[in-house]
Every structure is written in structure tokens, then in C-alpha cells.
Amino acid sequence: MGSPFTTSGALSWHELTSNHCEDSITFYGEVFGWEFKTIHLGHGPYHIIENQGVAIGGITPNPCPKQTSHWTGYITVEDVDSVAIKAKSLGGELLYGPEDIPRVGRFCWIKDPQGAIIAAISYLKSAVDDDNKTV
């Protein structure tokens, strides 16, 4: 398999939606030795998780604090809009998107018929470097 950022069907990103981002950063930094780089997006800060210098995921504030903190996996796909339509036709629910992430790609969140949540993402070619890592 090639890079998870260019291979359709691969798990490419892990994102923690947290009610307490700073506590999460401290916990996971200590447990796994992860480092974090904070960028500022339209909805607020986004903390990129880096493992040995490689971006592997992110931590973002929970937009619905009544919901518990949770992890979501992002699956690389060629066409997010087609995946969203197909998921709905198979009894899934579209929770968010499809929506563009500037300079990264396009994504959506899907709930399967059993209630599990996962995300689909198509990366822009300019978001993946020559070593097939996100930039």
C-alpha cells in the first residue's frame, strides 16, 4: 500500500474532538510522546498531532460540549460527495459536510446504520508532499 493520504480506503488521519484540548494535549503528549503544532482556523485553534515529526492527526475543541470527547478516523476517498451519497443510500446518516478544508481537501462525517461515526476525506494534491505526507 502507498501513502494513506493517497490510497483510497486507507485510514489517514485521527482526530480527537475534545471538551478540554489542553488537558488532552498534556495527557497524550505524556503517554505517547506526541508533539503538537497549533494552527488557527475559522472555528478556532486546531492542534496538529506530530509523531516523530510526522503529522498523524489533530485535536479540536468540541462544538457540542454536552457530547463526550471522542476520536474519529478519516478514510481517504477519491470523491467525498459520491461517498456521502452512497452512505445515505445504504442507510447511513450524513452528520457534517461535505465541506472544503482550505489547503487540505474536502471531507464529511458519516454515521453508519449501527450508530458508529467515521469521516471520509479527499486530499488536495497540493496538501500531500513528495514523501506522501500532509503539508
Side-chain angles (χ1 to χ4, degrees), residues 3-81:
S3 165
F5 300 107
T6 58
T7 302
S8 190
L11 179 62
S12 58
W13 196 253
H14 306 275
E15 185 171 78
L16 174 59
T17 303
S18 176
N19 289 326
H20 304 283
C21 290
E22 293 304 322
D23 292 342
S24 296
I25 288 168
T26 299
F27 177 80
Y28 289 108
E30 289 292 323
V31 170
F32 298 119
W34 290 344
E35 295 182 348
F36 301 87
K37 178 172 53 176
T38 301
I39 60 173
H40 297 279
L41 302 175
H43 70 278
Y46 188 84
H47 311 281
I48 297 174
I49 302 166
E50 292 186 343
N51 184 46
Q52 299 179 16
V54 177
I56 62 167
I59 298 177
T60 188
N62 195 344
C64 182
K66 291 182 180 180
Q67 184 180 36
T68 60
S69 297
H70 59 278
W71 285 95
T72 303
Y74 281 70
I75 306 301
T76 301
V77 299
E78 291 184 25
D79 183 343
V80 166
D81 295 85

